[in-house]
Amino acid sequence: MLWNAVETVSLWCLSVLFLLLHKKPTPQAEESFLQFVKFGLVGVSNTAVNYVIYLGVLLCLRALGLWKEYDYLAATAAGFVLSVLWSFFWNNKFVFTVKEGEQRSVWKALARTYLSYSFTGLFLNSVLMVLWVDMLHISEFLAPVINLLFNVPVNFLINKFWAFKKEG
């Protein structure tokens, strides 16, 4: 029921955008746009899962007195590994589904998912942060939000056309 409401609102927004462009959205455009919306929803849940895992691991390590100087790094690594696995599961099941007659290697898609998230989450984020903060003097508090405008579409495209690419 909730997804039906999100889908209706998303398609309405797409229709308004195409209306402003004096065009009619194609079924392919609608499908890709809905995939992008689903990808965004998975991304929001991924961010929440990452943060919960980060906090849980950090608090556990501190309670146990383990890795005192590096506990936040261990928590970051655990959050990354498990949240990307979470994201892979939902993107595979909900966003980039395999239709009848299509095939995809789950292990290859999983490896590619980790690579794509590593690229956007580590490399692209870092480069953009230097651009925004050091070169354009944008607040380091605002810069990560601006990064989303680049990282989400890039990550979507990498996942759609490479990580979850169908075979055969």
Side-chain angles (χ1 to χ4, degrees), residues 15-147:
S15 295
V16 169
L17 177 65
F18 271 78
L19 185 64
L20 292 172
L21 298 171
H22 303 289
K23 295 187 178 205
K24 186 178 186 318
T26 65
Q28 286 176 323
E30 288 179 353
E31 181 181 348
S32 289
F33 188 72
L34 288 176
Q35 266 188 330
F36 184 72
V37 170
K38 289 178 186 179
F39 185 80
L41 293 173
V42 170
V44 168
S45 72
N46 179 44
T47 301
V49 165
N50 187 335
Y51 191 64
V52 166
I53 292 169
Y54 171 82
L55 286 178
V57 171
L58 184 63
L59 292 173
C60 286
L61 289 174
R62 288 194 175 172
L64 295 170
L66 297 174
W67 300 337
K68 292 179 183 179
E69 292 182 29
Y70 306 104
D71 55 2
Y72 69 98
L73 295 173
T76 298
F80 176 79
V81 168
L82 294 174
S83 68
V84 171
L85 189 60
W86 167 275
S87 196
F88 169 78
F89 175 81
W90 288 109
N91 279 325
N92 190 54
K93 182 177 182 72
F94 181 59
V95 181
F96 304 111
T97 57
V98 177
K99 296 179 177 102
E100 193 174 323
E102 296 177 335
Q103 292 181 344
R104 174 173 53 226
S105 166
V106 172
W107 294 109
K108 192 183 288 186
L110 179 60
R112 288 176 174 179
T113 298
Y114 273 101
L115 286 172
S116 71
Y117 277 83
S118 294
F119 171 73
T120 57
L122 301 173
F123 176 73
L124 186 58
N125 251 343
S126 298
V127 169
L128 290 174
M129 288 297 285
V130 169
L131 173 68
W132 306 139
V133 176
D134 292 339
M135 298 174 76
L136 299 176
H137 307 290
I138 294 173
S139 165
E140 56 273 356
F141 296 101
L142 181 59
V145 177
I146 297 170
N147 278 359

